Amino acid sequence: MPSCSSDPSHLSVKLIQALLMLVLFMGYTAAATASPVTGLYSAEVPVEGQSAEQRTDGIRRAFMQMLIKVTGNRNVAQRPELQGDIEQAPRYVQQFRYRLGAGQSPAAEEAARLLTVQFDAAAVQRLLRERRLPVWGENRPSGLVWLGIESRGQRRVMRPELDEPLLGAMTGAAEKRGIPLILPLMDLEDQSGIRVADLWGDFEQNIRRASQRYSPDLIVTGRMTQLSGQLWRVTWNLYHGDRVSNWSDEGTDPIGLAHEGVEHVSDLLAERYAPVGGEANLSRIRLRVSGVTELTQYVGVGRFLQSQSSVEHADMVSVEPEAVTYELQVRGGIQVLEQGLALGGMIEPITDLPDAAQTLIEGVDLFYRMR
């Protein structure tokens, strides 16, 4: 006669897992705490025509553009280990379509056509894992940008109605890199909350206060100054948690400088959330989340963990009355995992848990709780 386990913890885990499968099967969708990035595995490129040769060339360029978004690395298409895969880009296509560029009529020249390509996400992820390259998931930090402009001795804060080319350059760069970019409305609340002197003086407290209404994960400020007739300099600050990064660029094209500023921000974020180093090795990390009292919370936490780009697998290993412990297989180490968990606002680290309490719960590396 087969034996039956009497371990209540084991039974609880099995019961919760069965319930989760039932909920997922019934099509339940837990409320999301963050807006995930969409379109990571698609790209759009201009093409000269619709011949097979032109389509294949467009698919290869779209494939390279998509790889930049998914890995976070803008130079990924130059990596030697991917050259053969780029040549075989059509094999990863799920679907494609043509459309006319904005403002073009059906009688416009063929050069105005755009090719939109959707790639197979699972196949691309397998490829990148095999090549030991990062896969940056859809859960990404949102960034709010405040840009000050100084020209001919006059300073002001960037305004949507006055600076459309600059805004377009930044939003275009963010879309290319898969970064959720927030641009301030510059309505009366913003105009009273942020002053041009705050940007030039790096008054961090005022900048953070004015940014609270947008709830960004990070804040970017820029000071763009016209040094001479054609020479511009822009100084950037990135406020990300307790860390502040700053850098400067010079050039004759302010629109190009705005574009490059967002590209540089994307580079910094990719280094933190999707590092190349260590991607080949998996670490086992146990995470305990307390305050989990409802089935919807079990579902939400499980999906949140699976959405992390650093998490290869997430298995539930124990269930308590108001807590659940997961064993995670993580790429990039515990620091990369913690940075990802800080996004979304679903769970937060427990910083006031006594050492004695941590000792009683053996084998747990990270202690979190529901927000």
Side-chain angles (χ1 to χ4, degrees):
M1 180 176 181
S3 61
C4 179
S5 172
S6 60
D7 182 354
S9 175
H10 174 77
L11 292 176
S12 297
V13 172
K14 292 297 185 183
L15 176 60
I16 292 296
Q17 288 175 336
L19 288 172
L20 292 182
M21 290 300 295
L22 176 61
V23 170
L24 293 174
F25 178 77
M26 293 173 62
Y28 172 80
T29 302
T33 57
S35 298
V37 179
T38 59
L40 289 178
Y41 293 88
S42 64
E44 188 173 70
V45 295
V47 290
E48 295 183 354
Q50 299 185 40
S51 69
E53 183 179 354
Q54 291 165 330
R55 181 171 61 250
T56 299
D57 176 70
I59 288 172
R60 287 172 181 155
R61 287 185 285 117
F63 188 72
M64 291 188 285
Q65 188 172 309
M66 177 273 299
L67 289 177
I68 292 172
K69 285 194 291 185
V70 174
T71 65
N73 185 337
R74 63 167 131 172
N75 298 315
V76 68
Q78 280 72 56
R79 296 183 72 93
E81 64 267 38
L82 283 175
Q83 298 313 301
D85 303 307
I86 293 173
E87 287 297 313
Q88 298 296 320
R91 66 187 297 186
Y92 296 95
V93 174
Q94 274 190 334
Q95 59 183 11
F96 66 88
R97 66 181 179 88
Y98 294 94
R99 73 177 184 88
L100 294 176
Q104 298 291 339
S105 67
E109 295 182 3
E110 290 291 320
R113 293 193 179 277
L114 298 172
L115 173 65
T116 304
V117 187
Q118 176 68 45
F119 295 96
D120 185 332
V124 171
Q125 290 172 13
R126 285 195 300 269
L127 168 66
L128 293 174
R129 296 301 190 203
E130 290 171 359
R131 301 295 180 263
R132 298 184 177 181
L133 293 170
V135 176
W136 194 1
E138 63 182 18
N139 186 37
R140 301 188 178 191
S142 60
L144 174 68
V145 179
W146 301 100
L147 180 62
I149 301 170
E150 180 179 11
S151 178
R152 298 171 183 173
Q154 299 294 317
R155 292 177 176 175
R156 61 181 179 85
V157 181
M158 183 178 64
R159 301 278 295 272
E161 66 273 20
L162 299 176
D163 303 295
E164 185 177 348
L166 289 174
L167 293 172
M170 290 191 290
T171 55
E175 183 178 355
K176 172 186 173 185
R177 300 296 297 273
I179 299 296
L181 190 68
I182 304 171
L183 295 172
L185 300 173
M186 291 311 299
D187 54 10
L188 292 178
E189 184 175 346
D190 282 341
Q191 293 177 43
S192 62
I194 193 82
R195 305 288 184 180
V196 71
D198 295 328
L199 301 179
W200 255 264
D202 291 332
F203 296 143
E204 182 177 346
Q205 186 174 358
N206 293 349
I207 293 169
R208 289 185 181 272
R209 185 185 303 114
S211 303
Q212 287 177 351
R213 66 181 294 204
Y214 297 100
S215 301
D217 295 304
L218 56 95
I219 304 168
V220 180
T221 66
R223 303 191 303 270
M224 183 175 287
T225 304
Q226 188 175 18
L227 300 178
S228 62
Q230 292 186 333
L231 184 62
W232 292 77
R233 173 186 295 160
V234 58
T235 301
W236 301 97
N237 288 328
L238 170 62
Y239 300 96
H240 189 192
D242 296 330
R243 287 190 276 184
V244 181
S245 305
N246 49 71
W247 68 97
S248 297
D249 284 319
E250 290 187 3
T252 58
D253 180 13
I255 295 176
L257 291 173
H259 183 280
E260 178 57 30
V262 176
E263 289 273 19
H264 190 85
V265 170
S266 303
D267 291 341
L268 292 176
L269 295 178
E271 289 175 6
R272 298 173 187 177
Y273 291 97
V276 175
E279 283 290 318
N281 300 317
L282 290 175
S283 304
R284 291 187 179 273
I285 298 174
R286 289 212 169 188
L287 168 71
R288 182 178 184 269
V289 182
S290 59
V292 183
T293 59
E294 301 176 3
L295 185 58
T296 55
Q297 292 176 319
Y298 284 103
V299 175
V301 171
R303 286 182 170 170
F304 178 64
L305 294 177
Q306 291 285 7
S307 74
Q308 301 298 309
S309 58
S310 63
V311 175
E312 185 75 8
H313 297 290
D315 298 315
M316 187 186 302
V317 294
S318 70
V319 175
E320 303 166 54
E322 295 188 3
V324 60
T325 299
Y326 297 88
E327 182 168 278
L328 311 177
Q329 292 188 33
V330 177
R331 296 180 183 273
I334 196 167
Q335 184 178 4
V336 174
L337 174 64
E338 289 178 309
Q339 290 174 160
L341 296 179
L343 303 176
M346 174 171 283
I347 60 177
E348 62 182 359
I350 301 176
T351 58
D352 54 356
L353 190 67
D355 293 338
Q358 296 185 35
T359 303
L360 292 175
I361 308 173
E362 296 182 359
V364 175
D365 303 290
L366 295 173
F367 293 84
Y368 277 68
R369 61 185 165 212
M370 299 295 297
R371 285 189 184 272

